[in-house]
Amino acid sequence: MNRFATQRAVRPALREAAAAVSLALLAWPAFAQDAAAPAADAAKDKGQLETVTITAERRVENIKEVPNAVTKISGEKLDVLNSSGQDVRFLSGRVPSLNIESSFGRAFPRFYIRGYGNTDFRLNASQPVSLVYDDVVQENPILKGFPAFDLAAIEVVAGPQGTLYGRNTPAGVVKFDSVKPSHRQEGYFNISYGTYGTMNVEGAANVPLTGDWSARISAQVQHRDNWVKNEVPAGKTGNLEGYDDRAVRVQALYEPHKDFSALFNFHGRDLKGSARLFRASIIKPGTNNLVDGFDPEKAYTDGVNEQSLHATGGSARLRWGLGDINLYSITGFESVRPFSRGDVDGGYIYGQKRPYLQEGLAGFPSESSSSMTGHRQITQEFRVESATAGPLRWQGGLYLFDERYTARSTDYTTSTGAAAGYVDTYQKNTAWAAFGSVNYAVTKDWGLRGGIRFTKDKKDVAVTSSYADLNTSTGTTAHTADSKWNWDVSTTYAVTKDTNVYARVATGFRASSVQGASRFAGQSQASPENVTSYEIGVKSDFWDRRARLSASVFDYTVKDLQLTAVGGQNNANRLLNAKKATGNGVELNLEILPVDQLLITVGGSLNNTKIRDASLSLPACGGGCTMLDPLVAGSTTNYSIDGNSLPNAPKWVGNLTARYSIPTPAGNEFYIYTDWAYRSKVNFFLYQSTEFTGKSLTEGGLRVGYVWNNGKYEVAGFVRNITNQIRVTGAIDFNNLTGFINDPRTYGVQFKAIF
């Protein structure tokens, strides 16, 4: 049986296995509840898990009531994961089916949910995972890197969310919500210091105001020394991988009475430091191992490496209570100016014959930069919702989007470091959408929900260049105009008062994408993609609310999937469509309080993704890798990618946390907290190759602390990546086996005061 026939046979088996798992999950909570019933009365006086509320469907609801796969991170868990100065990639693997990676370092995270994302590195790339920060969509990928600080919660909502959210949500939504101002005189100060001079300083305070106004100021400063030594004496840059990242948020709330509020948000960010460090020839040929003797604290580069970013933004969120309805207006403005320059080849010794067995070897030199010389995003949403009690609840609204940007890509002459030429890309993207949803309680145990959205999206792209050899074979301008109806329908049924089951069918849409012409590739365009997703799940509190389970089984199909062919024989980026891609799997979240002093959380997911297009093929990699895909019949250069998994889509994701408390007679507390995240191997690119297959990665942390004075003060010591597992987490498919790595083990101390 050939591999394609095998895949066709395996997929029904996977569906049957998923169905069997789902039935077991549906049955288990009720069984566990019944088994624990005799002990329920004895447990009344003991601790219980807190009720979790979310806003995944634009209302405050008990997470158990929402027919969607949602994971919430808040409180101490969020503080722990964010304590060591990492950027938003600290969330990767911390919830089921979530992966985050970057070839731009801290400036440009790429999100994947259920294996569904986008590897495009151009600054106008669209992603199928939407990041919503304080109710404002952050569309440009650079905006998605805004730091996470003074947050009430992070919610990760899996699957298409195209009814209630504004932009490009076919894979899901990552939702950040800041702590809001209040009249309470409260705040906090948090500082940590650790390996490589890593410092994280964060604080927030409500500002005392009189009358109907309240305000809150939040800020974060992150610093790391340049901890990687550049071993090239004649290099144009010194030591690397340091950064200074500063962000501030000011909020003002006007609330004269319960029927009106106006929340104003102003925020900004400044980042200076190293661009992503590309390390030439660090992958051992014929394997996906690091070369012998690899030292993460050494690099070999002869080019300039620098990165800077300046971002400003604001929003006004207004609410009117008009009796039976509530009316909302959310106006957002964002502007970002990034600059990133790096040594693309990652080395300093050129022209050597393959295989590349020594760090620093490359086929030829290449140094380039990307920047946005102009950018602004304006969004406006009007939303109205019902505010009456009763079985019927509804909401609807209008969404407007306008983004304009100019990006410049520059190549440099390696011998002098002078600019050799540039390509400027201008893009204007406008869109509007009308949406509505209805919730109806058929009985006290059975509820139905449904929603619909119409979207109209337009893009205009134009390119100018100083190069005489700009590839104009497919033009230098483009215009797209797309429209789409999307919908979702779901149902929830209360099996018992503590256990709900649900089913959901939803569609999603991502508008056309365009990448302008360059010297290495002509202008490329990908038509809209459409996803249909099916999901069933269970959410249950049991064991007298000392345990909580949520689990789901899902299956989705993306038609005309937008893909990005990155690299190859040159540093190019080309868009293309696959006829279809599929994904299916299982997700699980479990919280358990076995004794009052111990809280354990476990999460995990199984994701199977496949590209399904027998006509789709790509040339071999450009870096001397070992291709694993079959050659297309009659070709000596192109390899079929039909049946490959989606890039950066791990099959398995797992996470675990455990916190053990040791109270003192004085009412204070010692505690031990550990957290672990695992993802299985991934393909870095669309094709399969030995060298560009990332190994599985397990990262763990340990924290030991003391809390005193009624929780007002805390001191802790922590270790991140405790096993010091170093992996290639991404690669540059160019002219050698260049890759980049995760952070090595770091440790430090932290102090927090609440006032």
Side-chain angles (χ1 to χ4, degrees):
M1 182 182 293
N2 63 39
R3 71 166 183 157
F4 306 112
T6 301
Q7 289 160 358
R8 288 193 295 268
V10 167
R11 193 161 187 250
L14 286 171
R15 287 179 172 171
E16 292 174 8
V21 171
S22 67
L23 290 174
L25 291 172
L26 292 173
W28 178 54
F31 171 79
Q33 184 180 0
D34 292 342
D41 291 340
K44 288 294 183 184
D45 296 330
K46 295 185 179 181
Q48 293 181 324
L49 295 173
E50 295 181 355
T51 299
V52 177
T53 60
I54 59 174
T55 57
E57 297 203 355
R58 312 298 295 274
R59 299 175 185 263
V60 177
E61 299 179 275
N62 187 320
I63 193 171
K64 190 173 63 178
E65 309 296 329
V66 178
N68 214 328
V70 186
T71 304
K72 180 177 180 178
I73 300 177
S74 60
E76 183 182 40
K77 184 174 182 178
L78 183 56
D79 288 343
V80 169
L81 297 178
N82 200 26
S83 63
S84 60
Q86 296 188 63
D87 57 82
V88 296
R89 287 173 291 172
F90 75 81
L91 291 170
S92 184
R94 302 297 173 174
V95 305
S97 299
L98 178 65
N99 188 32
I100 310 173
E101 54 85 30
S102 175
S103 58
F104 270 73
R106 302 174 69 84
F108 187 152
R110 295 187 288 239
F111 292 77
Y112 305 78
I113 294 180
R114 294 177 173 173
Y116 186 6
N118 185 9
T119 61
D120 197 335
F121 64 77
R122 298 282 287 271
L123 297 182
N124 66 330
S126 69
Q127 295 182 350
V129 178
S130 184
L131 189 135
V132 179
Y133 212 127
D134 289 332
D135 288 330
V136 177
V137 171
Q138 309 293 298
E139 172 64 12
N140 189 275
I142 305 297
L143 295 174
K144 299 178 193 288
F146 194 85
F149 63 98
D150 194 29
L151 295 179
I154 297 174
E155 296 177 16
V156 179
V157 193
Q161 306 301 318
T163 297
L164 292 175
Y165 290 94
R167 291 288 301 167
N168 292 339
T169 61
V173 169
V174 179
K175 189 170 179 289
F176 288 23
D177 291 308
S178 302
V179 177
K180 304 300 185 290
S182 74
H183 286 288
R184 294 189 301 270
Q185 294 186 10
E186 65 177 16
Y188 71 93
F189 174 76
N190 191 353
I191 182 170
S192 66
Y193 185 83
T195 312
Y196 307 130
T198 303
M199 181 174 65
N200 191 66
V201 181
E202 180 181 330
N206 287 326
V207 179
L209 296 176
T210 59
D212 301 322
W213 286 90
S214 58
R216 186 176 182 89
I217 298 177
S218 314
Q220 183 185 73
V221 176
Q222 295 178 311
H223 168 84
R224 177 170 285 183
D225 294 340
N226 286 310
W227 59 276
V228 178
K229 183 182 179 183
N230 185 8
E231 297 288 338
V232 180
K236 301 184 186 71
T237 189
N239 295 341
L240 302 159
E241 288 287 83
Y243 55 80
D244 285 289
D245 202 350
R246 300 177 175 89
V248 64
R249 181 188 306 116
V250 179
Q251 299 179 86
L253 175 63
Y254 176 64
E255 199 166 20
H257 48 77
K258 67 182 182 64
D259 290 327
F260 178 76
S261 65
L263 178 60
F264 303 97
N265 178 315
F266 304 94
H267 51 267
R269 180 191 187 192
D270 276 294
L271 167 66
K272 291 184 179 180
S274 292
R276 192 60 150 142
L277 178 56
F278 302 149
R279 301 169 183 256
S281 303
I282 64 169
I283 304 170
K284 185 184 294 185
T287 75
N288 60 354
N289 298 322
L290 290 162
V291 293
D292 296 338
F294 176 77
D295 184 347
E297 297 188 9
K298 294 180 180 179
Y300 304 85
T301 176
D302 61 357
V304 174
N305 181 294
E306 60 183 353
Q307 186 173 82
S308 62
L309 181 152
H310 178 71
T312 57
S315 64
R317 287 174 280 171
L318 311 180
R319 183 190 72 85
W320 293 268
L322 304 175
D324 292 343
I325 64 171
N326 293 323
L327 179 64
Y328 298 86
S329 170
I330 304 172
T331 307
F333 172 83
E334 303 290 342
S335 178
V336 64
R337 302 287 193 277
F339 174 83
S340 186
R341 177 175 174 177
D343 188 359
V344 179
D345 63 84
Y348 74 109
I349 302 173
Y350 304 105
Q352 302 294 315
K353 292 183 178 180
R354 297 170 180 166
Y356 301 113
L357 296 172
Q358 175 190 338
E359 269 191 89
L361 294 176
F364 54 86
S366 179
E367 186 178 331
S368 66
S369 70
S370 295
S371 64
M372 281 198 287
T373 55
H375 172 271
R376 67 114 174 105
Q377 171 191 292
I378 298 174
T379 58
Q380 175 64 55
E381 181 178 84
F382 298 104
R383 183 166 59 91
V384 61
E385 67 177 13
S386 61
T388 57
L392 177 66
R393 295 186 301 166
W394 54 266
Q395 57 182 310
L398 181 67
Y399 178 81
L400 306 172
F401 175 86
D402 189 320
E403 182 188 44
R404 306 181 188 200
Y405 102 122
T406 303
R408 171 164 287 191
S409 175
T410 305
D411 293 323
Y412 298 90
T413 303
T414 303
S415 59
T416 64
Y422 65 85
V423 177
D424 284 347
T425 302
Y426 168 80
Q427 177 172 293
K428 176 183 177 182
N429 186 189
T430 58
W432 67 269
F435 62 92
S437 72
V438 175
N439 300 3
Y440 184 70
V442 182
T443 70
K444 68 181 183 66
D445 296 326
W446 179 30
L448 297 173
R449 302 190 184 199
I452 194 166
R453 187 185 195 98
F454 177 76
T455 302
K456 188 77 173 180
D457 188 289
K458 294 182 179 181
K459 286 188 178 77
D460 290 287
V461 177
V463 169
T464 60
S465 176
S466 66
Y467 293 112
D469 59 347
L470 183 73
N471 188 331
T472 61
S473 59
T474 52
T476 58
T477 62
H479 172 76
T480 69
D482 304 313
S483 59
K484 182 67 178 179
W485 288 95
N486 285 118
W487 54 268
D488 65 76
V489 61
S490 58
T491 183
T492 307
Y493 183 74
V495 179
T496 70
K497 67 182 181 66
D498 294 316
T499 301
N500 286 354
V501 295
Y502 73 89
R504 182 173 189 260
V505 183
T507 67
F509 158 74
R510 184 157 62 115
S512 299
S513 295
V514 180
Q515 289 297 357
S518 70
R519 297 172 64 199
F520 309 110
Q523 177 176 280
S524 59
Q525 182 171 326
S527 58
E529 67 184 21
N530 297 278
V531 61
T532 303
S533 170
Y534 302 87
E535 180 179 324
I536 61 172
V538 58
K539 299 182 181 184
S540 177
D541 297 329
F542 58 100
W543 195 17
D544 196 30
R545 289 190 60 192
R546 298 182 70 93
R548 177 178 296 128
L549 171 77
S550 64
S552 61
V553 178
F554 62 87
D555 187 292
Y556 66 84
T557 299
V558 188
K559 293 184 178 179
D560 299 316
L561 174 68
Q562 296 181 24
L563 295 174
T564 305
V566 178
Q569 303 300 319
N570 52 51
N571 188 31
N573 186 91
R574 294 180 294 111
L575 297 174
L576 53 125
N577 287 101
K579 291 180 180 177
K580 188 168 68 172
T582 59
N584 58 70
V586 181
E587 296 167 333
L588 170 74
N589 275 310
L590 175 66
E591 297 176 80
I592 188 167
L593 193 67
V595 296
D596 288 352
Q597 290 77 35
L598 178 63
L599 174 64
I600 300 171
T601 71
V602 179
S605 58
L606 163 65
N607 285 272
N608 297 288
T609 63
K610 298 291 181 186
I611 298 170
R612 298 185 178 275
D613 188 340
S615 67
L616 205 54
S617 65
L618 292 173
C621 56
C625 73
T626 307
M627 295 293 293
L628 300 177
D629 293 319
L631 276 167
V632 174
S635 173
T636 59
T637 58
N638 276 31
Y639 294 79
S640 171
I641 63 172
D642 183 36
N644 288 355
S645 63
L646 295 175
N648 288 302
K651 184 173 184 179
W652 296 96
V653 170
N655 59 79
L656 177 145
T657 71
R659 187 188 192 276
Y660 186 72
S661 170
I662 307 171
T664 70
N668 302 321
E669 178 194 39
F670 290 95
Y671 69 86
I672 301 172
Y673 190 110
T674 187
D675 63 279
W676 294 84
Y678 167 83
R679 65 137 177 87
S680 58
K681 67 179 182 178
V682 294
N683 285 338
F684 295 143
F685 306 112
L686 295 177
Y687 56 74
Q688 294 186 94
S689 70
T690 301
E691 292 82 356
F692 292 146
T693 300
K695 287 178 174 288
S696 62
L697 174 64
T698 304
E699 291 187 311
L702 179 66
R703 181 183 179 90
V704 179
Y706 178 64
V707 182
W708 73 99
N709 195 8
N710 295 318
K712 290 184 177 181
Y713 303 105
E714 177 183 356
V715 64
F718 62 85
V719 183
R720 306 303 302 166
N721 192 7
I722 192 169
T723 61
N724 200 32
Q725 188 175 98
I726 306 299
R727 293 284 189 263
V728 177
T729 56
I732 304 298
D733 178 10
F734 189 20
N735 63 37
N736 59 339
L737 298 176
T738 294
F740 37 90
I741 63 171
N742 61 313
D743 283 352
R745 178 169 53 227
T746 59
Y747 52 87
V749 294
Q750 182 177 0
F751 172 75
K752 183 175 183 178
I754 300 174
F755 53 87

